[in-house]
Coordinates of all heavy atoms in Angstrom, one line a residue:
M1 N 154.3 56.6 71.1 CA 154.2 56.6 72.5 C 153.6 57.9 73.0 O 153.8 59.0 72.5 CB 155.6 56.4 73.1 CG 156.1 55.0 73.0 SD 157.8 54.9 73.5 CE 157.7 55.1 75.2
A2 N 152.9 57.8 74.1 CA 152.2 59.0 74.7 C 153.2 60.0 75.1 O 152.9 61.2 75.0 CB 151.4 58.5 75.8
T3 N 154.4 59.6 75.6 CA 155.3 60.6 76.1 C 155.8 61.5 75.0 O 156.1 62.7 75.2 CB 156.5 59.9 76.7 OG1 157.0 58.9 75.9 CG2 156.1 59.3 78.1
D4 N 155.9 61.0 73.7 CA 156.3 61.8 72.6 C 155.4 63.0 72.4 O 155.8 64.1 72.0 CB 156.4 61.0 71.3 CG 157.6 60.0 71.4 OD1 158.5 60.3 72.1 OD2 157.5 59.0 70.6
Y5 N 154.1 62.8 72.6 CA 153.1 63.9 72.4 C 153.1 64.8 73.6 O 152.9 66.0 73.5 CB 151.7 63.3 72.2 CG 151.6 62.5 70.9 CD1 151.6 61.2 70.9 CD2 151.4 63.2 69.7 CE1 151.5 60.5 69.7 CE2 151.3 62.6 68.5 CZ 151.4 61.2 68.5 OH 151.3 60.5 67.4
D6 N 153.4 64.2 74.8 CA 153.3 65.0 76.0 C 154.5 66.0 76.1 O 154.4 67.1 76.6 CB 153.3 64.2 77.2 CG 151.9 63.6 77.5 OD1 151.0 64.1 76.8 OD2 151.8 62.7 78.3
A7 N 155.7 65.6 75.6 CA 156.9 66.4 75.8 C 156.8 67.8 75.3 O 157.0 68.8 76.0 CB 158.1 65.7 75.2
P8 N 156.4 68.0 74.0 CA 156.4 69.3 73.5 C 155.3 70.2 74.1 O 155.4 71.3 74.4 CB 156.0 69.2 72.0 CG 155.5 67.8 71.8 CD 156.1 67.0 73.0
R9 N 154.2 69.5 74.5 CA 153.1 70.2 75.2 C 153.6 70.8 76.5 O 153.3 71.9 76.9 CB 151.9 69.3 75.4 CG 150.8 69.4 74.4 CD 149.6 68.7 74.8 NE 149.1 67.8 73.8 CZ 148.4 66.7 74.0 NH1 148.0 66.4 75.2 NH2 148.0 66.0 73.0
R10 N 154.3 69.9 77.2 CA 154.8 70.4 78.5 C 155.7 71.6 78.4 O 155.7 72.5 79.2 CB 155.6 69.2 79.2 CG 154.7 68.5 80.2 CD 155.5 67.4 80.9 NE 154.7 66.3 81.1 CZ 155.1 65.0 81.4 NH1 156.4 64.8 81.4 NH2 154.3 64.1 81.7
N11 N 156.6 71.5 77.3 CA 157.5 72.7 77.1 C 156.7 74.0 76.9 O 157.1 75.0 77.5 CB 158.4 72.4 75.9 CG 159.5 71.3 76.3 OD1 159.7 71.1 77.5 ND2 160.0 70.7 75.3
E12 N 155.7 73.9 76.1 CA 154.9 75.1 75.8 C 154.3 75.6 77.1 O 154.3 76.8 77.4 CB 153.7 74.7 74.9 CG 154.1 75.0 73.4 CD 153.0 74.6 72.5 OE1 151.9 75.0 72.8 OE2 153.2 73.9 71.5
A13 N 153.8 74.6 77.9 CA 153.1 75.0 79.2 C 154.2 75.7 80.1 O 153.9 76.7 80.8 CB 152.5 73.8 79.8
D14 N 155.3 75.1 80.1 CA 156.4 75.7 81.0 C 156.7 77.1 80.6 O 156.8 78.0 81.4 CB 157.7 74.8 80.9 CG 157.5 73.6 81.7 OD1 156.5 73.5 82.5 OD2 158.3 72.7 81.6
E15 N 156.8 77.3 79.2 CA 157.2 78.7 78.8 C 156.1 79.6 79.1 O 156.3 80.7 79.6 CB 157.4 78.7 77.3 CG 158.8 78.2 76.9 CD 158.9 78.0 75.4 OE1 158.2 78.8 74.6 OE2 159.7 77.2 74.9
L16 N 154.8 79.2 78.9 CA 153.7 80.1 79.3 C 153.7 80.4 80.8 O 153.5 81.5 81.2 CB 152.4 79.4 78.9 CG 152.1 79.5 77.4 CD1 150.8 78.7 77.1 CD2 151.9 80.9 76.9
G17 N 153.9 79.3 81.5 CA 154.0 79.5 83.0 C 155.0 80.5 83.4 O 154.8 81.3 84.3
E18 N 156.2 80.4 82.8 CA 157.3 81.3 83.2 C 156.9 82.7 82.8 O 157.1 83.6 83.6 CB 158.6 80.9 82.5 CG 159.3 79.8 83.2 CD 160.5 79.3 82.5 OE1 161.1 80.1 81.7 OE2 160.9 78.2 82.6
D19 N 156.3 82.9 81.6 CA 155.9 84.2 81.2 C 154.9 84.8 82.3 O 155.1 86.0 82.7 CB 155.2 84.2 79.9 CG 156.3 84.1 78.8 OD1 157.5 84.2 79.1 OD2 155.9 83.9 77.6
S20 N 153.9 84.1 82.6 CA 152.9 84.6 83.5 C 153.5 84.8 84.9 O 153.1 85.7 85.6 CB 151.6 83.7 83.5 OG 152.0 82.4 83.8
L21 N 154.4 83.9 85.2 CA 155.1 84.1 86.5 C 155.8 85.4 86.6 O 155.7 86.1 87.6 CB 156.0 82.9 86.8 CG 155.5 81.8 87.7 CD1 156.6 80.8 88.0 CD2 155.1 82.5 89.1
E22 N 156.6 85.7 85.5 CA 157.3 86.9 85.4 C 156.3 88.1 85.6 O 156.6 89.0 86.3 CB 158.0 87.0 84.1 CG 159.1 85.9 83.9 CD 160.5 86.4 84.2 OE1 160.8 87.5 83.9 OE2 161.2 85.6 84.8
E23 N 155.2 88.0 84.9 CA 154.2 89.0 84.9 C 153.7 89.2 86.4 O 153.6 90.3 86.9 CB 153.1 88.7 84.0 CG 152.9 89.7 82.9 CD 151.7 89.3 82.0 OE1 150.6 89.5 82.4 OE2 152.0 88.8 80.9
L24 N 153.4 88.1 87.0 CA 152.9 88.1 88.3 C 153.9 88.8 89.3 O 153.6 89.6 90.1 CB 152.6 86.7 88.8 CG 151.2 86.1 88.4 CD1 151.1 84.7 89.0 CD2 150.1 87.0 89.0
K25 N 155.2 88.4 89.1 CA 156.2 88.9 89.9 C 156.3 90.5 89.8 O 156.4 91.2 90.7 CB 157.6 88.3 89.6 CG 157.8 87.0 90.2 CD 159.2 86.5 89.9 CE 159.3 85.0 90.1 NZ 160.5 84.4 89.5
A26 N 156.2 90.9 88.5 CA 156.3 92.3 88.2 C 155.1 93.0 88.9 O 155.2 94.1 89.5 CB 156.3 92.6 86.7
R27 N 153.9 92.4 88.7 CA 152.7 93.1 89.3 C 152.8 93.1 90.8 O 152.4 94.0 91.5 CB 151.5 92.3 88.9 CG 151.0 92.6 87.5 CD 149.7 91.9 87.2 NE 149.5 91.8 85.7 CZ 148.7 91.0 85.1 NH1 147.9 90.3 85.9 NH2 148.5 91.0 83.8
R28 N 153.3 92.0 91.4 CA 153.4 91.9 92.8 C 154.4 93.0 93.3 O 154.1 93.6 94.3 CB 153.9 90.5 93.2 CG 153.4 90.1 94.6 CD 153.8 88.7 94.9 NE 152.9 87.7 94.2 CZ 153.0 86.4 94.3 NH1 154.0 85.9 95.0 NH2 152.1 85.6 93.7
A29 N 155.5 93.1 92.6 CA 156.4 94.2 93.0 C 155.8 95.5 92.9 O 156.0 96.4 93.8 CB 157.6 94.1 92.0
E30 N 155.0 95.8 91.9 CA 154.3 97.1 91.8 C 153.3 97.2 93.0 O 153.3 98.3 93.6 CB 153.5 97.1 90.5 CG 154.3 97.6 89.3 CD 153.5 97.6 88.0 OE1 152.3 97.9 88.1 OE2 154.0 97.2 87.0
A31 N 152.6 96.2 93.2 CA 151.6 96.3 94.3 C 152.3 96.5 95.6 O 151.8 97.3 96.5 CB 150.8 95.0 94.4
Q32 N 153.4 95.8 95.8 CA 154.1 96.0 97.1 C 154.7 97.4 97.2 O 154.6 98.1 98.3 CB 155.3 95.0 97.2 CG 154.8 93.7 97.7 CD 155.9 92.6 97.7 OE1 157.0 92.9 97.2 NE2 155.6 91.4 98.2
S33 N 155.2 97.9 96.1 CA 155.8 99.3 96.2 C 154.8 100.3 96.5 O 155.0 101.3 97.2 CB 156.6 99.6 94.9 OG 155.8 99.6 93.8
S34 N 153.6 100.1 95.9 CA 152.5 101.1 96.1 C 151.9 101.0 97.5 O 151.5 102.0 98.1 CB 151.4 101.0 95.0 OG 150.8 99.7 95.1
S35 N 151.8 99.7 98.0 CA 151.3 99.6 99.3 C 152.2 100.1 100.4 O 151.8 100.5 101.5 CB 150.9 98.1 99.6 OG 152.1 97.3 99.7
V36 N 153.5 100.1 100.1 CA 154.5 100.6 101.0 C 154.3 102.2 101.1 O 154.5 102.7 102.2 CB 155.9 100.3 100.5 CG1 157.0 101.2 101.2 CG2 156.2 98.8 100.7
D37 N 153.9 102.8 100.0 CA 153.8 104.2 100.0 C 152.6 104.6 100.9 O 152.6 105.7 101.4 CB 153.5 104.7 98.5 CG 154.8 104.6 97.7 OD1 155.9 104.6 98.3 OD2 154.6 104.6 96.5
V38 N 151.6 103.8 100.9 CA 150.4 104.1 101.8 C 150.6 103.7 103.2 O 150.7 102.5 103.5 CB 149.2 103.4 101.2 CG1 147.9 103.8 102.1 CG2 148.9 103.9 99.8
D39 N 150.7 104.6 104.1 CA 150.8 104.3 105.5 C 149.5 103.8 106.0 O 148.5 104.5 105.7 CB 151.3 105.6 106.2 CG 151.7 105.2 107.7 OD1 151.0 104.4 108.3 OD2 152.7 105.8 108.1
E40 N 149.4 102.7 106.7 CA 148.2 102.1 107.0 C 147.3 103.0 107.9 O 146.1 103.2 107.8 CB 148.4 100.8 107.7 CG 148.2 99.6 106.8 CD 148.3 98.3 107.5 OE1 147.6 98.1 108.5 OE2 149.0 97.4 107.0
T41 N 148.0 103.7 108.9 CA 147.2 104.5 109.8 C 146.7 105.7 109.0 O 145.5 106.2 109.2 CB 148.1 105.0 110.9 OG1 149.3 105.6 110.3 CG2 148.5 103.9 111.8
D42 N 147.5 106.3 108.1 CA 147.0 107.4 107.2 C 145.7 106.9 106.5 O 144.7 107.7 106.4 CB 148.0 107.8 106.3 CG 149.0 108.7 107.0 OD1 148.8 109.1 108.1 OD2 150.0 109.1 106.3
F43 N 145.8 105.7 105.9 CA 144.7 105.2 105.1 C 143.4 105.1 106.0 O 142.3 105.5 105.6 CB 145.1 103.9 104.5 CG 144.1 103.3 103.6 CD1 143.8 104.0 102.4 CD2 143.4 102.1 103.8 CE1 142.9 103.5 101.5 CE2 142.5 101.6 102.9 CZ 142.2 102.3 101.8
N44 N 143.5 104.6 107.2 CA 142.4 104.4 108.0 C 141.8 105.8 108.4 O 140.6 105.9 108.5 CB 142.8 103.7 109.3 CG 143.0 102.2 109.1 OD1 142.4 101.7 108.1 ND2 143.8 101.6 109.9
E45 N 142.7 106.7 108.7 CA 142.2 108.1 109.0 C 141.4 108.7 107.9 O 140.4 109.3 108.1 CB 143.3 109.0 109.4 CG 143.8 108.8 110.8 CD 145.0 109.5 111.2 OE1 145.3 110.5 110.4 OE2 145.7 109.1 112.1
S46 N 141.9 108.5 106.7 CA 141.2 109.1 105.5 C 139.9 108.4 105.3 O 139.0 109.1 104.8 CB 142.1 109.0 104.3 OG 142.2 107.6 103.8
L47 N 139.7 107.2 105.6 CA 138.4 106.5 105.5 C 137.4 107.1 106.4 O 136.2 107.2 106.1 CB 138.6 105.0 105.8 CG 139.1 104.1 104.7 CD1 139.1 102.7 105.2 CD2 138.1 104.2 103.5
E48 N 137.9 107.6 107.6 CA 136.9 108.2 108.6 C 136.6 109.6 108.3 O 135.8 110.2 109.0 CB 137.5 108.0 110.0 CG 137.5 106.5 110.4 CD 138.3 106.3 111.7 OE1 138.8 107.3 112.3 OE2 138.4 105.2 112.1
L49 N 137.3 110.2 107.4 CA 137.1 111.6 107.1 C 135.7 111.8 106.5 O 135.3 111.1 105.6 CB 138.1 112.2 106.1 CG 139.5 112.6 106.6 CD1 140.3 113.0 105.5 CD2 139.3 113.6 107.7
P50 N 134.9 112.7 107.1 CA 133.6 113.0 106.6 C 133.5 114.0 105.5 O 134.5 114.6 105.2 CB 132.9 113.6 107.8 CG 134.0 114.4 108.5 CD 135.3 113.6 108.2
G51 N 132.4 113.9 104.7 CA 132.1 115.1 103.9 C 132.5 115.2 102.5 O 132.2 114.4 101.7
A52 N 133.3 116.2 102.3 CA 133.5 116.8 100.9 C 133.9 115.7 99.9 O 133.3 115.7 98.8 CB 134.7 117.8 101.0
D53 N 134.7 114.8 100.2 CA 135.1 113.8 99.2 C 134.0 112.9 98.8 O 133.9 112.4 97.7 CB 136.3 112.9 99.8 CG 137.6 113.7 99.8 OD1 137.6 114.7 99.1 OD2 138.5 113.3 100.5
L54 N 133.0 112.6 99.7 CA 132.0 111.7 99.4 C 131.1 112.2 98.3 O 130.5 111.5 97.5 CB 131.1 111.5 100.7 CG 131.8 110.6 101.7 CD1 130.9 110.4 102.9 CD2 132.1 109.2 101.1
S55 N 130.9 113.5 98.2 CA 130.0 114.1 97.2 C 130.6 113.8 95.8 O 129.9 113.6 94.8 CB 129.9 115.6 97.4 OG 131.1 116.2 97.3
N56 N 131.9 113.8 95.7 CA 132.6 113.4 94.5 C 132.3 112.0 94.1 O 132.1 111.7 92.9 CB 134.1 113.6 94.5 CG 134.4 115.1 94.5 OD1 133.7 115.9 94.0 ND2 135.6 115.5 95.1
E57 N 132.3 111.1 95.1 CA 132.1 109.7 94.8 C 130.7 109.4 94.3 O 130.4 108.6 93.5 CB 132.4 108.9 96.1 CG 133.9 108.8 96.3 CD 134.2 107.7 97.3 OE1 133.4 106.8 97.4 OE2 135.3 107.8 97.9
E58 N 129.7 110.2 94.8 CA 128.4 110.0 94.4 C 128.2 110.3 92.9 O 127.4 109.7 92.2 CB 127.4 110.9 95.2 CG 127.0 110.3 96.5 CD 126.1 111.3 97.3 OE1 125.1 111.7 96.7 OE2 126.4 111.5 98.4
L59 N 129.0 111.2 92.4 CA 129.0 111.5 91.0 C 129.6 110.4 90.2 O 129.1 110.1 89.1 CB 129.8 112.8 90.7 CG 129.1 114.1 91.2 CD1 130.0 115.3 91.0 CD2 127.7 114.3 90.6
T60 N 130.6 109.8 90.7 CA 131.3 108.7 89.9 C 130.6 107.4 90.0 O 130.5 106.6 89.1 CB 132.8 108.6 90.3 OG1 132.8 108.4 91.7 CG2 133.6 109.8 89.9
V61 N 130.0 107.1 91.2 CA 129.3 105.9 91.4 C 127.8 106.1 91.4 O 127.3 106.5 92.4 CB 129.8 105.2 92.7 CG1 129.1 103.8 92.8 CG2 131.3 105.0 92.7
R62 N 127.2 105.9 90.3 CA 125.7 106.1 90.2 C 125.0 104.9 90.5 O 125.2 103.8 89.9 CB 125.3 106.6 88.8 CG 125.6 108.1 88.6 CD 125.1 108.5 87.3 NE 123.7 108.5 87.1 CZ 123.0 108.6 86.0 NH1 123.7 108.6 84.9 NH2 121.7 108.6 85.9
V63 N 124.2 104.9 91.5 CA 123.4 103.7 91.9 C 122.0 103.9 91.2 O 121.2 104.7 91.5 CB 123.2 103.6 93.4 CG1 122.4 102.4 93.7 CG2 124.6 103.6 94.1
L64 N 121.8 102.9 90.3 CA 120.5 103.0 89.6 C 119.5 102.1 90.4 O 119.8 101.1 90.9 CB 120.6 102.4 88.2 CG 121.5 103.2 87.2 CD1 121.7 102.5 85.9 CD2 120.8 104.6 86.9
P65 N 118.3 102.6 90.4 CA 117.2 101.8 91.1 C 117.0 100.5 90.3 O 117.2 100.5 89.1 CB 116.0 102.7 91.1 CG 116.2 103.7 90.0 CD 117.7 103.8 89.9
K66 N 116.5 99.5 91.0 CA 116.2 98.2 90.3 C 115.1 98.5 89.3 O 114.1 99.1 89.6 CB 115.8 97.2 91.3 CG 115.8 95.8 90.7 CD 115.7 94.8 91.8 CE 114.3 94.9 92.4 NZ 114.0 93.8 93.4
Q67 N 115.3 98.0 88.1 CA 114.3 98.2 87.0 C 113.2 97.1 87.1 O 113.4 96.1 87.7 CB 115.0 98.1 85.6 CG 116.1 99.1 85.4 CD 115.6 100.5 85.5 OE1 114.8 100.9 84.8 NE2 116.2 101.3 86.5
E68 N 112.1 97.4 86.4 CA 110.9 96.5 86.5 C 111.3 95.1 86.0 O 110.8 94.1 86.5 CB 109.8 97.1 85.6 CG 109.2 98.3 86.1 CD 108.0 98.0 87.0 OE1 107.3 96.9 86.7 OE2 107.7 98.7 88.0
D69 N 112.1 95.1 85.0 CA 112.4 93.8 84.4 C 113.7 93.2 85.0 O 114.4 92.3 84.4 CB 112.6 93.9 82.9 CG 113.6 94.9 82.5 OD1 114.1 95.6 83.4 OD2 114.0 94.9 81.3
E70 N 114.0 93.6 86.2 CA 115.2 93.0 86.8 C 114.9 92.4 88.2 O 113.8 92.7 88.8 CB 116.3 94.1 87.0 CG 116.9 94.6 85.7 CD 117.9 95.7 85.9 OE1 117.7 96.5 86.9 OE2 118.8 95.9 85.1
F71 N 115.8 91.6 88.7 CA 115.6 91.0 90.0 C 116.9 90.9 90.7 O 117.9 91.0 90.1 CB 115.0 89.6 89.9 CG 115.9 88.6 89.3 CD1 116.6 87.7 90.2 CD2 116.1 88.5 88.0 CE1 117.5 86.8 89.7 CE2 117.0 87.5 87.5 CZ 117.7 86.7 88.3
T72 N 116.9 90.8 92.0 CA 118.1 90.7 92.8 C 118.2 89.2 93.2 O 117.4 88.7 93.8 CB 118.1 91.6 94.0 OG1 117.8 92.9 93.6 CG2 119.4 91.5 94.7
C73 N 119.3 88.6 92.8 CA 119.6 87.2 93.1 C 119.8 87.1 94.6 O 120.5 87.9 95.2 CB 120.8 86.7 92.4 SG 121.2 85.0 92.9
S74 N 119.1 86.1 95.2 CA 119.2 86.0 96.7 C 120.5 85.3 97.1 O 120.8 85.3 98.3 CB 118.0 85.1 97.2 OG 116.8 85.8 96.9
R75 N 121.3 84.8 96.2 CA 122.5 84.2 96.6 C 123.7 85.1 96.3 O 124.5 85.3 97.2 CB 122.7 82.8 95.9 CG 123.8 82.1 96.6 CD 123.8 80.6 96.1 NE 122.7 79.9 96.5 CZ 122.4 78.6 96.1 NH1 123.2 78.0 95.3 NH2 121.3 78.0 96.6
C76 N 123.8 85.6 95.1 CA 125.0 86.4 94.8 C 124.7 87.9 94.9 O 125.6 88.8 94.8 CB 125.5 86.1 93.4 SG 124.4 86.6 92.1
F77 N 123.4 88.2 95.1 CA 123.0 89.6 95.4 C 123.3 90.6 94.2 O 123.4 91.8 94.4 CB 123.6 90.2 96.7 CG 123.2 89.4 97.9 CD1 124.1 88.6 98.5 CD2 121.9 89.4 98.4 CE1 123.8 87.8 99.6 CE2 121.6 88.7 99.5 CZ 122.5 87.8 100.1
L78 N 123.4 90.0 93.0 CA 123.5 90.8 91.8 C 122.2 91.1 91.3 O 121.3 90.3 91.3 CB 124.4 90.1 90.8 CG 125.9 89.9 91.1 CD1 126.5 89.1 90.0 CD2 126.5 91.2 91.2
V79 N 122.0 92.3 90.8 CA 120.8 92.7 90.1 C 120.9 92.2 88.7 O 121.8 92.6 88.0 CB 120.5 94.2 90.1 CG1 119.3 94.5 89.3 CG2 120.3 94.7 91.5
Q80 N 120.0 91.3 88.3 CA 120.1 90.7 86.9 C 118.8 90.9 86.2 O 117.8 91.1 86.7 CB 120.5 89.3 87.1 CG 121.6 89.0 88.0 CD 122.5 87.9 87.6 OE1 122.7 87.6 86.4 NE2 123.1 87.2 88.5
H81 N 119.0 90.8 84.8 CA 117.8 90.8 84.0 C 116.9 89.6 84.2 O 117.4 88.5 84.5 CB 118.2 91.0 82.5 CG 117.0 91.3 81.6 ND1 116.3 90.4 80.9 CD2 116.5 92.6 81.4 CE1 115.3 91.1 80.3 NE2 115.4 92.3 80.5
R82 N 115.6 89.8 84.1 CA 114.6 88.8 84.3 C 114.9 87.5 83.5 O 114.5 86.4 83.9 CB 113.2 89.3 84.1 CG 112.2 88.9 85.1 CD 111.0 89.7 85.0 NE 110.8 90.4 86.3 CZ 110.5 89.8 87.4 NH1 110.5 88.5 87.5 NH2 110.4 90.5 88.5
S83 N 115.5 87.7 82.3 CA 115.7 86.6 81.4 C 116.8 85.7 82.1 O 116.9 84.5 81.6 CB 116.2 87.1 80.1 OG 117.5 87.7 80.2
R84 N 117.5 86.1 83.1 CA 118.5 85.3 83.8 C 117.9 84.7 85.1 O 118.6 84.0 85.8 CB 119.7 86.1 84.1 CG 120.4 86.6 82.9 CD 121.9 86.9 83.0 NE 122.6 86.4 84.2 CZ 123.3 85.3 84.2 NH1 123.5 84.6 83.1 NH2 123.9 84.9 85.3
L85 N 116.6 84.9 85.3 CA 116.0 84.3 86.5 C 115.8 82.8 86.2 O 115.1 82.4 85.3 CB 114.6 85.0 86.7 CG 113.8 84.5 87.9 CD1 114.5 84.6 89.2 CD2 112.4 85.1 87.9
A86 N 116.3 82.0 87.1 CA 116.3 80.5 86.9 C 115.3 79.9 87.8 O 114.7 78.9 87.5 CB 117.6 79.9 87.0
A87 N 115.2 80.4 89.0 CA 114.3 79.8 90.0 C 113.9 80.9 91.0 O 114.6 81.8 91.3 CB 115.0 78.7 90.7
S88 N 112.7 80.7 91.6 CA 112.3 81.6 92.7 C 111.5 80.8 93.7 O 110.7 79.9 93.3 CB 111.4 82.7 92.1 OG 110.4 82.2 91.3
R89 N 111.8 81.1 94.9 CA 111.0 80.5 96.0 C 110.5 81.6 96.9 O 111.3 82.3 97.6 CB 111.9 79.5 96.8 CG 112.2 78.3 96.1 CD 113.3 77.5 96.9 NE 114.1 76.7 96.0 CZ 115.4 76.5 96.2 NH1 116.0 77.0 97.2 NH2 116.1 75.8 95.3
G90 N 109.2 81.8 97.0 CA 108.7 82.9 97.8 C 109.3 84.3 97.3 O 109.1 84.6 96.1
N91 N 110.0 85.0 98.2 CA 110.6 86.3 97.8 C 112.0 86.1 97.3 O 112.7 87.1 97.0 CB 110.5 87.2 99.0 CG 109.1 87.7 99.3 OD1 108.3 87.8 98.4 ND2 108.9 87.9 100.6
E92 N 112.5 84.9 97.3 CA 113.9 84.6 96.9 C 114.0 84.2 95.4 O 113.3 83.3 95.0 CB 114.5 83.5 97.8 CG 114.6 83.9 99.2 CD 115.3 82.9 100.0 OE1 115.4 81.7 99.6 OE2 115.8 83.3 101.1
N93 N 114.8 85.0 94.7 CA 115.0 84.7 93.3 C 116.5 84.3 93.1 O 117.4 84.8 93.8 CB 114.7 85.9 92.5 CG 113.3 86.3 92.6 OD1 112.4 85.4 92.5 ND2 113.0 87.5 92.9
Y94 N 116.7 83.3 92.2 CA 118.1 82.9 91.9 C 118.4 83.0 90.5 O 117.6 82.6 89.6 CB 118.2 81.4 92.4 CG 118.0 81.2 93.8 CD1 116.8 80.8 94.3 CD2 119.1 81.5 94.7 CE1 116.6 80.7 95.7 CE2 118.9 81.3 96.1 CZ 117.7 80.9 96.6 OH 117.5 80.8 97.9
C95 N 119.6 83.5 90.2 CA 120.0 83.7 88.8 C 120.5 82.3 88.3 O 120.6 81.4 89.0 CB 121.1 84.7 88.7 SG 122.7 84.2 89.3
R96 N 120.7 82.3 87.0 CA 121.1 81.0 86.3 C 122.4 80.4 87.0 O 122.6 79.3 87.2 CB 121.4 81.2 84.9 CG 120.1 81.4 84.1 CD 120.3 81.4 82.6 NE 119.2 82.0 81.9 CZ 119.2 82.3 80.6 NH1 120.3 82.1 79.9 NH2 118.2 82.8 80.0
D97 N 123.3 81.4 87.3 CA 124.6 80.9 87.9 C 124.4 80.2 89.2 O 125.0 79.2 89.5 CB 125.5 82.1 88.1 CG 126.0 82.6 86.7 OD1 125.9 81.9 85.7 OD2 126.3 83.8 86.7
C98 N 123.5 80.8 90.0 CA 123.3 80.3 91.4 C 122.4 79.2 91.5 O 122.5 78.3 92.4 CB 122.9 81.5 92.3 SG 124.1 82.8 92.4
A99 N 121.4 79.1 90.6 CA 120.4 78.0 90.7 C 121.0 76.7 90.2 O 120.6 75.6 90.5 CB 119.2 78.4 89.8
A100 N 122.1 76.8 89.4 CA 122.7 75.6 88.8 C 123.3 74.7 89.8 O 123.8 75.2 90.8 CB 123.7 76.0 87.7
Ligands
ZN201 ZN1 123.1 84.7 91.6

């Protein structure tokens, strides 16, 4: 009977589900506790702060110019290698993911 095969599978799925649920709960608790630490108004103010900190970010986030053999997908706006170019219309290029 089909139910005989389904039963053990369901149990496995339930156990996995509970594990990931516990993990999710733990992560959610962490996220909540950390977001409680950040006062929203403080966060907004720090975003508007000019200057000194931005120079550090330029060092960590390097923006490379688009390479000759790359294109920017017109739908997902990711710069991708030309081998992933699936379709182009005029100036619009689409990667394999977006053209599908
Ligand atoms: Zn794309």
